Amino acid sequence: MSDPSAQEVLRALDLLLDSPDFARSERSRRFLDFVVRARLEGREFEISQNTLATEVFDRQGSFDPSTDPIVRMQAGRVRRSLEHYYLTHRDQHLVKIVLPKGTYVPEFLSNDETREIEPESGSRNMTFGNILSDHQAPVIVVCPFANLTGDPELDYLARGLSMHIAIGADQRRDVRVLVSSTDPISATTTTSGPLPENLSVGLCLRGALLRNGTVLSLDVQLIECETGYQIWARQFVHSQPEVEIAAFLEHAARQVALMMFNEGGILYRHQIRQLPSEHNTDPDSYEAILRYFDWQLAPDPEAFGRVIHGLQVAVRKDPRSGIARSFLARCYADLWALGFDGIPVRIEEALDLALEGLSRNPQDCRTEAIAGYVCLVMDDMKSARRHAEAALVNAGGSLLFLDAISYLLTLCGDWERGSAKLRQAIQGNPFHSRFVHGALWAEALRRDDFALALSEAMATTTSSSFWCPLMQCVALAHLGRIDDAVRFRERILEFRPGFSGNADWLIRRYIKDDALVAQIKEGLAIAGLTVS
């Protein structure tokens, strides 16, 4: 197989740069144009972080990639734009330009080479690579959506729904998502190409557009392929004439992706229900991660030790699993910052695990945010903020992990922007993490909006630590509801009988503003709990 000619590559480059995937970002256009032309001209040695920083981002003088991640983050954006372009364009005469992970030097693949590699690695809709071993990660097929309205003008919108959902799931690193031209339930093929023969499909997401008079609806269902059992179904109704149909369907697809692929979403709740009631003492990475998700949905301090043990075993068994390392780092940081008894841990070990997880998944916004969280509780605010900003860029506008990232941004001191993004995430994500309301409680408290602080404290609804009753106690005390505040003060002491002795240290693991710490202590004092 001969390599594509320079003329073919430049033609493919022109089409890419003119596409919507690149037209919106001048930086992405300049990045891709520079690396492709340098590769064609035999100047691979020039394709480095320092050269890109100067040529593409106009960085002058000394450039330190350890403190300025702009090149790495932009490379991630270019990779996602390339993946999206090739998901939505099937020109049989195109050369495919690929930016492999771990390098900024592009590869040029002929059409035949592209078809050969797609079933194995291809783009992110097929597999997430070495995040989990192939036999561990569940496979979900997003099938073509049927247009049953009788209106052929809606065909292209129906075809785009599966792609929108897959792109919405792009930030997941512990499930394999396949956009298929075949419905494995009905075996109806809408375009050429069956499912790969060696793929064991567990779940199928399918749906249809229907019309009843002037009302358009989108019906979606999640099916277990082996049994045909319906796990979940949802109907979205277009009942606002002023909203364009395309905008309605795009919003519905985004909601389906959030409901399906959030850590507390439908897919993971279903997977958790399949787990045996007894904890496996020798779990693989995916089972250990599911146990962690299960603990998040219903925190039980007594079960926390088993969750951590499972992740420790998974890390030893599967050295490729960066996400298991990141989750274990988050558990260790929780243990240290919340003062859980019985499981000794060094916070430096949490940081090592977080950075190892990030090195294995350098473009993953979740592992980036976990590294930032560990830095936050360690008082390394500069690094925490840097990781939060990088996670925000890597999220690419997705709401999937925006709640945790915005929580981190807010506690890092970006009160206005962080809280605004956090409210956006909460409003748009029906399965957002409840603990993130704690950052909005702190933001309301610093503005002396004690009624809102109480509302956010009540929305936190976690039973795993002293923080939930502490937030309620402080807000109630500042509102003058002393009897209620005293009741929650007693809940604090149930969690931490010696709380007043090290309360200042515990509070400052998350709250870095001295004035806000003083306000929290004042509320506790009003409720009769003096903090030394």
Side-chain angles (χ1 to χ4, degrees), residues 394-410:
N394 287 341
S398 170
L399 289 174
L400 203 55
F401 299 116
L402 185 61
D403 54 348
I405 298 169
S406 303
Y407 166 87
L408 179 60
L409 268 178
T410 305

Side-chain angles (χ1 to χ4, degrees), residues 429-451:
N429 185 350
F431 290 104
H432 67 272
S433 299
R434 296 296 168 181
F435 72 84
V436 301
H437 287 274
L440 294 180
W441 165 82
E443 191 269 339
L445 199 64
R446 66 187 292 274
R447 293 189 290 106
D448 295 336
D449 189 341
F450 303 123

Side-chain angles (χ1 to χ4, degrees), residues 336 373-382 384 505 508-512:
W336 187 74
Y373 170 65
V374 175
C375 292
L376 173 77
V377 301
M378 292 180 70
D379 289 334
D380 183 356
M381 300 305 295
K382 182 178 179 180
W505 186 90
R508 289 181 185 275
R509 292 313 88 217
Y510 297 94
I511 307 300
K512 308 302 180 179

Side-chain angles (χ1 to χ4, degrees), residues 70-275:
I70 188 169
V71 176
R72 177 169 57 86
M73 291 189 295
Q74 192 65 44
R77 283 186 168 182
V78 169
R79 288 188 185 97
R80 287 193 293 273
S81 295
L82 288 169
E83 289 169 356
H84 181 240
Y85 179 86
Y86 290 115
L87 279 172
T88 54
H89 293 73
R90 295 295 182 185
D91 188 332
Q92 296 300 304
H93 302 290
L94 275 182
V95 168
K96 186 171 184 179
I97 299 174
V98 180
L99 191 63
K101 285 191 174 182
T103 180
Y104 304 119
V105 179
E107 293 181 0
F108 311 133
L109 305 178
S110 69
N111 184 57
D112 289 339
E113 289 175 305
T114 298
R115 285 201 302 270
E116 287 169 6
I117 69 164
E118 278 179 348
E120 182 179 349
S121 57
S123 54
R124 196 173 294 161
N125 67 319
M126 175 64 186
T127 176
F128 292 112
N130 65 356
I131 308 308
L132 292 172
S133 299
D134 287 345
H135 69 281
Q136 297 175 21
V139 176
I140 179 168
V141 171
V142 184
C143 298
F145 279 58
N147 175 20
L148 304 182
T149 65
D151 183 355
E153 293 187 1
L154 295 180
D155 284 348
Y156 81 100
L157 290 176
R159 285 197 299 268
L161 283 168
S162 56
M163 203 64 64
H164 276 300
I165 293 170
I167 292 169
D170 181 67
Q171 295 301 329
R172 289 247 60 107
R173 295 296 186 275
D174 39 35
V175 61
R176 290 186 290 168
V177 180
L178 172 65
V179 178
S180 176
S181 59
T182 303
D183 186 329
I185 302 297
S186 64
T188 300
T189 302
T190 58
T191 60
S192 62
L195 290 171
E197 293 181 0
N198 61 347
L199 183 65
S200 176
V201 177
L203 300 171
C204 168
L205 187 69
R206 62 205 300 235
L209 277 176
L210 302 102
R211 190 188 294 279
N212 183 5
T214 60
V215 177
L216 183 74
S217 65
L218 173 65
D219 292 353
V220 185
Q221 57 180 178
L222 181 67
I223 303 292
E224 194 170 55
C225 293
E226 185 177 353
T227 63
Y229 173 72
Q230 178 176 286
I231 296 168
W232 171 79
R234 177 72 182 267
Q235 183 180 69
F236 298 86
V237 178
H238 182 245
S239 57
Q240 297 175 286
E242 67 276 10
V243 178
E244 292 185 0
I245 292 175
F248 156 71
L249 292 177
E250 185 175 349
H251 173 76
R254 190 162 52 244
Q255 287 295 299
V256 170
L258 289 169
M259 293 175 181
M260 284 293 304
F261 299 106
N262 207 77
E263 287 184 4
I266 302 300
L267 175 62
Y268 296 96
R269 290 172 186 262
H270 170 71
Q271 297 286 330
I272 288 168
R273 285 196 294 269
Q274 311 307 308
L275 292 174

Side-chain angles (χ1 to χ4, degrees), residues 355-381:
L355 295 178
E356 287 174 12
L358 184 58
S359 70
R360 284 165 171 77
N361 306 321
Q363 304 301 325
D364 180 25
C365 66
R366 180 170 48 176
T367 56
E368 192 88 60
I370 289 172
Y373 170 65
V374 175
C375 292
L376 173 77
V377 301
M378 292 180 70
D379 289 334
D380 183 356
M381 300 305 295

